[in-house]
Amino acid sequence: MQNFYSGPRRRRAVPVTGSGGTQTVVPIRTGEEYVQSLRGRNLRVYLMGERVEEPVDHPLIRPSINAVAETYDLAVREEGLASAESSISGRRVNRFLHIAESAEDLVLQNKMQRKLGQLTGTCFQRCVGMDALNSLHSTTHEIDEAHGTKYHERLLEFIRAVQEENLVIGGAMTDPKGDRSRAPSEQDDPDVFVHVVDRDERGVYVTGAKAHQTGCINSHWFIVMPTMRLSEADKDYAIVGAVPVDAKGVTYIYGRQSCDTRSMEGGEIDAGNAKFSGQEALILLDRVFIPWNLVFMDGEFEFAAMLVERFTCYHRRSYVCKTGLGDVMIGAAATVADYNGVPKVSHIKDKLVEMTHLNESIYAAGIASSHQAHRMKSGVWLNDDMLAQVCKHNVTRFPYEIGRLAQDIAGGLVVTLPSERDLRDPETGPLLRKYLAGRKGVDVESRMRILRLIENMTLGRNAVGYLTESMHGAGSPQAQRIQIARQMQLGYKKGLAKSLAGIHDGAEEPPENSEYFRRVFKLP
């Protein structure tokens, strides 16, 4: 089998949406080649009230592109971790494009995600697309079984094409939702949920918006998906399809992040993490055309909940990426303690232990969920849902405490530090080097840099990816509690207790007959 990352680079023809034609594309290999692939697309991107002519060169956007580029370079450097052998395309592919063919594939996803968090200190923007492809693999298979459709075949062809080209796939699930008490079909403005507005012999046309879309401008394609359980009245909202990022009718309004304009001020200290950042944008869809060969659900409303639940099962486990960021935060706290001259003080060491305990608790639940995976009808493997919910629920809490402890160790300078310009100024610079000195032998600039990194991850631009997204990404805390409640298996657990207590009232299912028991303990 050809090795994508070190073998000869091939060309193949891929469909061009809406044109019926083809274009020749050289597969992307490195981060730099990925960056070049984003140029000249003529996207409609708006930022701070202005049209961005070339997002690749915009200083506020470029750090988020660098984070995605790292997903390519990691696959070159650590092929076994960040790539996999695909049975779909018959070649080695980036793991973000791979359909999980074993529990080990899911485990390696988690290990890759933690590694990338360590390398970037932010969101690297590809997990949504990876989890969307995997959840669609099983869902389309089961829609076809029920309705005799050809969605699964179409999906496999799409996956094969993007694997061949090594493209970035984004997911677009979250709608603005309007009045949260009403279903999509009950809204005063139907466009607050993406829906089909027209169909013809070539395909469908969709209108609406997708909010908080991670890395969408940095993707090559995004996949539109329903955001919630739907009823028959919502059939036009039960739409799944692949859309090229530069499709006609797509507009992006870039989301602001705290302290984001520091990347435009010159210098690099004040940004905290000048090289990498995340990205979110609002996607507006105005009669966007999706040809039939790229439609993977159209009106099968009863499968919307299945898709959403399988996606969230994958994606809530994917939040082990935050443990990579947690590793950076722990390292930053330990470094600033050393620079302050207190690395051996007992309460400092105890706080670092607590930060590590919380971080590893997140990782334990996520990777255990992957290890407990099971094979679906379509052949894809799905991780354990209960442990995925526990992983994400931990993520809604523990990074905040890790961040609080990092600020505690760092001290007040993390929010009162003078600017890099003051450090460089011939009059104020020497004064700062005199009065901001810490332990002997530590350069003041190094101390400022590590304080700015802590600020960046707890209050600044990358606090989006480490804190707020930890709360609301892949569903807010109550969404996980609902799923945990559904899977508590109280009948099974009551049976355990009654058995040990010698109670035989016949009211509970014998534990050994429980589906939960068979699944957890890998019994047939």
Side-chain angles (χ1 to χ4, degrees), residues 85-96:
E85 301 283 350
S86 172
S87 63
I88 296 175
S89 61
R91 64 185 296 150
R92 194 162 191 87
V93 302
N94 192 292
R95 193 169 293 282
F96 282 106

Side-chain angles (χ1 to χ4, degrees), residues 1-7 29 71-85 91-96 105 108 112:
M1 181 177 296
Q2 181 184 12
N3 182 317
F4 179 81
Y5 298 104
S6 60
R29 180 174 180 268
T71 69
Y72 283 90
D73 288 336
L74 181 65
V76 174
R77 295 194 309 269
E78 300 188 36
E79 186 178 276
L81 176 65
S83 67
E85 301 283 350
R91 64 185 296 150
R92 194 162 191 87
V93 302
N94 192 292
R95 193 169 293 282
F96 282 106
D105 275 340
L108 286 169
M112 173 185 68

Side-chain angles (χ1 to χ4, degrees), residues 430-467:
L431 296 172
L432 292 179
R433 292 186 182 277
K434 173 181 173 66
Y435 289 107
L436 295 185
R439 178 177 59 77
K440 184 178 180 180
V442 175
D443 184 71
V444 167
E445 181 173 322
S446 295
R447 189 172 182 228
M448 290 179 67
R449 284 179 179 273
I450 206 69
L451 286 165
R452 286 298 189 204
L453 178 63
I454 294 171
E455 180 195 35
N456 169 268
M457 296 183 70
T458 60
L459 296 167
R461 185 167 191 186
N462 286 320
V464 176
Y466 189 53
L467 298 182

Side-chain angles (χ1 to χ4, degrees), residues 309-324:
E309 289 177 4
R310 289 181 183 177
F311 171 80
T312 57
C313 181
Y314 284 116
H315 201 49
R316 288 171 185 168
R317 164 221 59 129
S318 280
Y319 271 69
V320 297
C321 67
K322 303 308 176 193
T323 63

Side-chain angles (χ1 to χ4, degrees), residues 361-401:
S361 295
I362 294 170
Y363 188 66
I367 205 161
S369 174
S370 292
H371 274 292
Q372 289 283 79
H374 58 283
R375 189 179 186 274
M376 307 295 284
K377 290 180 181 179
S378 68
V380 71
W381 284 66
L382 179 66
N383 51 285
D384 183 88
D385 192 58
M386 172 63 94
L387 293 173
Q389 307 304 321
V390 171
C391 174
K392 178 55 175 58
H393 207 47
N394 286 343
V395 169
T396 68
R397 301 177 179 183
F398 295 171
Y400 286 88
E401 180 64 5

